[in-house]
């Protein structure tokens, strides 16, 4: 009996080893056809579905679904690679303009109300047109311009950058702008801005030298208003604390100086923290690390010499919002608006910056004066004024991967492959069961002294069959079963004919 159990253990180990070898490793998952299929299926489902940024048909469908408003006419527009412009209206009628003379006829052909002066023209551009042909927008007739991104259209606006020069931006919210620079950075920024921002996922941390050495299980809340409050934490345990709150958003306040975070203690002195270990810990725990960049790095919840409680300007309102764009919109109210850009970070991460128009670094007396004014305002009003936000967040690809997972910590392609194999195993049950009997024959009652031992052995065998063996052989078993059924139907006429022949032969002469 011991030898039999040893053989069975070896069989289970061999089955698991074959399954591990049959699946691609995590590092090369994207190279496999199955993982590509899974990824493409995920990207074309739910809220992540894209309409196709470069197709005029998608923009035309969007225009056709807009409600009719008196005094407004909307056309979809796309600039072709040849340099011509193609327009379409809500009825699906199209017009191509290859010269300024033809451009002047667009409104007369597709929007007569605009030509008659009864309506104002709005053009909805495809995403690729706004990105690639921003310098050619002056060719368009006088109109309001919008750009279509993921089923939503946003107004285009010109906004002064840090260098003072005007740049074309997408106005995602009233105080949130995304410049039309490179395609990858723009799409990543738009994805991050439209992500859900749930207060239950947010932890506002206040660094304090005498703070607790561990975070609570849930975020601190005001017992009266039920609003989020800062969680005090000691600086030397901040890295460990990030590992304890996976997939949450952590908000810190301080002044970013290169790779260091400057914060102010309760005594008024300033100290620094290395940002690199914090970013590494955030990446390991899939935490969105958000740093509110402030000239006066007082910590929220601390008290000043007037015994006023420090609060980050606009943060309380921002924490009530439901998307990251709305969060930044409230946060940027006092900053005169924020310009959001992204850049690639370490694997699965992206660096996100939200900078106010007036936060460009100034030298000499001007910079000193601004710092003094900010210091005075912060101390007397108890408000921490932010210059913007710097984030090290989970990138779009990683977010979709995490959202597809049913069991945390297990790659989605493994989970989906397992479920597909299990379902196929159900359809191929007759063959899977027959193969299993050859590998692990049924238990004999005579080999067990007690009924309990016999039933437990049968239960173990059933669990191994359903949980391990069926998912591994599910696909070939389903194919074999389907081929058997097809062959059975193909041979049905022959069997019927043989039955009829046999019936006549069996009759006596």
């Amino acid at each position: 009996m011991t030898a039999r159990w040893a053989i069975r253990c070896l069989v289970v180990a061999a089955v698991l080893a074959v399954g591990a070898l049959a699946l691609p490793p995590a590092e090369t998952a994207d190279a496999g056809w199955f993982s590509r299929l899974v990824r493409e299926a995920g990207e074309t489902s739910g809220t992540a579905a894209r309409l196709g940024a470069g197709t005029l048909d998608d923009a035309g469908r969007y225009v056709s679904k807009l409600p009719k408003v008196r005094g407004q006419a909307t056309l979809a527009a796309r600039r072709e690679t040849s340099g011509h412009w193609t327009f379409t209206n809500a009825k699906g009628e199209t017009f191509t303009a290859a010269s300024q003379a033809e451009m002047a006829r667009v409104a007369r052909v597709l929007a007569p109300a605009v030509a008659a002066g009864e309506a104002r023209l709005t053009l909805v551009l495809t995403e690729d047109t706004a990105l690639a042909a921003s310098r050619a927008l002056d060719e368009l007739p006088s109109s309001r311009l919008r750009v279509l991104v993921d089923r939503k259209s946003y107004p285009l606006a010109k906004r002064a950058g840090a260098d003072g020069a005007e740049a074309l931006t997408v106005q995602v919210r009233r105080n949130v702008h995304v410049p039309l620079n490179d395609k990858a950075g723009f799409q990543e920024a738009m994805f991050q801005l439209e992500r859900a921002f749930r207060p239950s996922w947010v932890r506002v941390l206040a660094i304090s030298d005498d703070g607790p050495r561990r975070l609570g299980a849930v975020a601190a809340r005001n017992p009266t208003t039920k609003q989020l409050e800062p969680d005090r934490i000691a600086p030397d345990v901040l890295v460990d604390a990030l590992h304890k709150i996976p997939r949450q958003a952590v908000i810190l306040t301080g002044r970013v100086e290169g790779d260091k975070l400057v914060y102010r203690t309760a005594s008024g002195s300033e100290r620094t923290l290395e940002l690199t270990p914090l970013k590494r810990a955030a990446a390991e725990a899939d935490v969105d690390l958000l740093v509110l960049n402030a000239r006066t790095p007082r910590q929220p919840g601390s008290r000043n010499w007037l015994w006023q409680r420090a609060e980050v300007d606009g943060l309380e309102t921002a924490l009530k919002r439901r998307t990251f764009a709305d969060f930044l919109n409230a946060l940027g109210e006092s900053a005169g608006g924020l310009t959001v850009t992204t850049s690639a970070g370490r694997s699965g991460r992206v660096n996100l910056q939200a900078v106010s128009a007036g936060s460009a670094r100034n030298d000499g007396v001007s910079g000193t004066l601004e710092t003094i004014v900010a210091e005075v305002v912060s101390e007397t009003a108890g408000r921490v004024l932010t210059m913007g936000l710097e984030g090290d967040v989970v990138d779009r690809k990683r977010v979709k991967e995490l959202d597809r997972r049913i069991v945390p910590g297990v790659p989605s392609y493994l989970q989906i492959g397992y479920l597909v194999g299990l379902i196929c195993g159900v359809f191929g049950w007759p063959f899977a069961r027959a193969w299993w009997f050859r590998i692990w024959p049924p238990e004999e009652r005579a080999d067990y002294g007690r009924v309990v031992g016999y039933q437990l052995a049968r239960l173990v065998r059933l669990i191994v069959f359903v949980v391990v063996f069926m998912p591994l052989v599910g696909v070939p078993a389903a194919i074999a079963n389907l081929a058997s059924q097809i062959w059975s139907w193909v041979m049905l006429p022959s069997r019927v004919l043989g039955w009829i022949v046999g019936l006549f032969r069996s009759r006596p002469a």
Side-chain angles (χ1 to χ4, degrees), residues 162-193:
D163 56 355
E166 283 192 342
L168 192 64
T169 65
V170 174
Q171 188 176 3
V172 183
R173 298 293 187 273
R174 184 164 62 93
N175 299 312
V176 180
H177 296 255
V178 178
L180 284 164
N181 42 31
D182 66 294
K183 184 175 182 179
F186 173 78
Q187 291 180 345
E188 183 68 46
M190 296 299 294
F191 172 83
Q192 295 293 338
L193 289 173

Side-chain angles (χ1 to χ4, degrees), residues 242-271:
L242 294 180
H243 287 97
K244 304 293 179 59
I245 48 174
R247 294 215 67 186
Q248 295 192 33
V250 172
I251 299 178
L252 299 175
T253 304
R255 186 172 66 248
V256 179
E257 296 182 353
D259 197 34
K260 297 183 183 298
L261 177 67
V262 181
Y263 68 96
R264 182 168 296 181
T265 63
S267 62
S269 61
E270 293 187 355
R271 299 184 181 179

Side-chain angles (χ1 to χ4, degrees), residues 15-68:
V15 170
L16 292 174
V18 171
L21 292 174
L23 292 169
E27 292 79 8
T28 60
D30 293 338
W33 66 269
F34 183 74
S35 60
R36 289 200 302 270
L37 180 62
V38 170
R39 183 172 67 251
E40 291 170 3
E43 292 178 353
T44 56
S45 62
T47 58
R50 294 185 57 82
L51 286 178
T55 61
L56 185 64
D57 290 340
D58 296 324
R61 282 194 291 269
Y62 172 81
V63 169
S64 66
K65 295 178 181 179
L66 292 176
K68 294 182 179 180

Side-chain angles (χ1 to χ4, degrees), residues 62-63 66 73-79 85 87 103 106 120-126 129-131 133-149 152-158 168-172 177 180:
Y62 172 81
V63 169
L66 292 176
T74 306
L75 302 178
R78 183 177 190 270
R79 193 172 192 265
W85 285 89
F87 303 87
M103 191 73 71
V106 171
R120 186 178 179 183
L121 180 62
T122 299
L123 295 179
V124 178
L125 308 179
T126 60
T129 297
L131 285 165
S134 58
R135 296 182 180 179
L137 299 184
D138 293 336
E139 302 173 0
L140 296 172
S142 178
S143 60
R144 291 179 294 185
L145 299 180
R146 301 180 70 89
V147 59
L148 181 66
V149 182
K152 297 180 181 179
S153 72
Y154 305 89
L156 292 178
K158 287 186 177 181
L168 192 64
T169 65
V170 174
Q171 188 176 3
V172 183
H177 296 255
L180 284 164

Side-chain angles (χ1 to χ4, degrees), residues 179-486:
L180 284 164
N181 42 31
D182 66 294
K183 184 175 182 179
F186 173 78
Q187 291 180 345
E188 183 68 46
M190 296 299 294
F191 172 83
Q192 295 293 338
L193 289 173
E194 294 300 344
R195 283 179 63 186
F197 192 83
R198 296 186 175 94
S200 58
W201 294 355
V202 180
R203 303 296 292 267
V204 181
L205 304 185
I207 305 172
S208 176
D209 291 339
D210 60 347
R213 303 193 62 80
R214 58 177 299 178
L215 286 176
V218 295
R221 290 185 178 274
N222 187 299
T224 304
T225 63
K226 304 302 181 182
Q227 297 298 320
L228 282 174
E229 288 194 341
D231 285 301
R232 296 172 65 245
I233 187 70
D236 57 329
V237 297
L238 188 54
V239 171
D240 293 333
L242 294 180
H243 287 97
K244 304 293 179 59
I245 48 174
R247 294 215 67 186
Q248 295 192 33
V250 172
I251 299 178
L252 299 175
T253 304
R255 186 172 66 248
V256 179
E257 296 182 353
D259 197 34
K260 297 183 183 298
L261 177 67
V262 181
Y263 68 96
R264 182 168 296 181
T265 63
S267 62
S269 61
E270 293 187 355
R271 299 184 181 179
T272 61
L273 277 176
E274 295 287 342
L275 280 174
T276 300
L278 294 178
K279 292 180 180 180
R280 186 183 302 115
E284 293 171 354
D286 291 313
V287 167
D288 291 327
L289 183 63
L290 308 175
V291 179
L292 302 181
N293 195 5
R295 282 193 175 92
T296 55
R298 298 177 58 213
Q299 296 302 292
S302 62
R303 301 283 180 175
N304 63 3
W305 59 280
L306 293 175
W307 202 244
Q308 289 179 318
R309 191 171 183 268
E311 295 180 359
V312 178
D313 195 29
L315 182 59
E316 182 178 350
T317 303
L319 290 173
K320 299 176 183 179
R321 302 299 182 248
R322 295 298 178 180
T323 67
F324 191 51
D326 295 326
F327 170 84
L328 290 179
N329 187 54
L331 199 64
E333 184 72 33
S334 60
L338 299 172
T339 299
V340 179
T341 57
T342 61
S343 59
R346 66 182 68 198
S347 178
R349 309 289 291 183
V350 64
N351 300 319
L352 184 144
Q353 284 191 328
V355 183
S356 63
S359 67
R361 293 187 176 180
N362 298 309
D363 298 327
V365 178
S366 178
T368 303
L369 182 60
E370 288 188 10
T371 302
I372 294 174
V373 171
E375 182 78 20
V376 171
V377 171
S378 176
E379 287 296 331
T380 56
R383 311 293 291 182
V384 180
L385 303 179
T386 60
M387 300 180 291
L389 177 144
E390 295 196 18
D392 185 85
V393 299
V394 184
D395 68 11
R396 174 174 54 174
K397 182 179 178 181
R398 179 68 175 170
V399 168
K400 293 178 179 179
E401 159 64 20
L402 294 174
D403 290 342
R404 283 195 294 260
R405 293 181 179 181
I406 301 174
V407 181
V410 180
S412 63
Y413 73 92
L414 285 177
Q415 299 187 36
I416 296 176
Y418 180 88
L419 292 176
V420 170
L422 186 61
I423 294 172
C424 289
V426 173
F427 287 100
W429 174 273
F431 282 84
R433 186 168 177 267
W435 296 341
W436 180 243
F437 279 175
R438 294 183 180 182
I439 296 174
W440 192 329
E443 287 73 13
E444 298 291 341
R445 176 64 183 86
D447 294 336
Y448 298 88
R450 297 183 179 180
V451 176
V452 175
Y454 171 66
Q455 296 297 341
L456 286 176
R458 294 183 62 191
L459 179 61
V460 169
R461 179 176 175 275
L462 178 63
I463 292 174
V464 174
F465 170 66
V466 175
V467 176
V468 178
F469 189 76
M470 275 183 58
L472 289 179
V473 303
V475 173
I479 294 175
N481 191 41
L482 179 62
S484 175
Q485 296 296 327
I486 294 175

